[in-house]
């Protein structure tokens, strides 16, 4: 199996910064796209940013210019640097990874982390 473990959430004032990390471990043959999603209370889970294994990135319009996604392929880890945080960024942030498991004949599986709370006070 594959596990995604997130860290770095917390409480910050508006205008502040946080850095989220997500480490993938387990039976991984290859780690394809990784990303971050968020879900505010009573709302659906929305894409924040994604990054391919080759480093191509995609951002939601609401975070462009403020958030930066990156990854360390050697450590199977993805990061989300969040600057100029706003109260509307408050949500549970989930890590996502598209994985080919060892022995799975190139079948891709989608995994989610347990989520980390980010709260931005005004």
């Amino acid at each position: 199996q594959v596990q995604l473990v997130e860290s770095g959430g917390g409480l910050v004032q508006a205008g502040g910064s946080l850095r989220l990390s997500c480490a993938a471990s387990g039976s991984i043959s290859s780690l394809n796209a990784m990303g971050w999603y968020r879900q505010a209370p009573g709302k659906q889970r929305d894409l924040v940013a994604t990054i391919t294994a080759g480093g191509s990135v995609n951002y939601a319009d609401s975070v462009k210019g403020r958030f930066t996604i990156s990854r360390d392929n050697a450590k199977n880890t993805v990061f989300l640097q969040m600057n100029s945080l706003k109260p509307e960024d408050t949500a549970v942030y989930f890590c996502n990874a598209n994985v080919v498991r060892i022995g799975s004949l190139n079948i891709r599986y989608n995994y989610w982390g347990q989520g980390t709370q980010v709260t931005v006070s005004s």
Side-chain angles (χ1 to χ4, degrees):
Q1 281 295 341
V2 174
Q3 299 80 39
L4 301 181
V5 178
E6 299 132 333
S7 60
L11 172 64
V12 65
Q13 288 189 330
S17 298
L18 283 174
R19 180 177 169 88
L20 305 183
S21 300
C22 171
S25 64
S27 185
I28 299 172
S29 176
S30 65
L31 197 54
N32 303 309
M34 301 184 77
W36 291 94
Y37 293 71
R38 66 186 181 187
Q39 187 167 19
K43 296 189 176 182
Q44 66 181 16
R45 189 174 298 186
D46 291 327
L47 179 145
V48 175
T50 60
I51 184 167
T52 67
S56 296
V57 299
N58 179 52
Y59 295 98
D61 288 342
S62 59
V63 306
K64 284 181 180 177
R66 299 188 298 122
F67 290 10
T68 302
I69 190 170
S70 61
R71 64 191 284 170
D72 183 335
N73 289 331
K75 296 182 179 180
N76 288 345
T77 300
V78 64
F79 305 96
L80 186 68
Q81 178 66 44
M82 304 185 293
N83 298 328
S84 303
L85 282 160
K86 305 175 181 179
E88 51 263 44
D89 294 318
T90 295
V92 178
Y93 284 69
F94 295 91
C95 175
N96 175 269
N98 186 268
V99 177
V100 175
R101 297 201 310 234
I102 294 173
S104 70
L105 301 178
N106 213 34
I107 297 172
R108 299 187 176 198
Y109 294 86
N110 210 34
Y111 288 92
W112 292 93
Q114 79 285 356
T116 185
Q117 177 70 47
V118 172
T119 302
V120 184
S121 63
S122 57

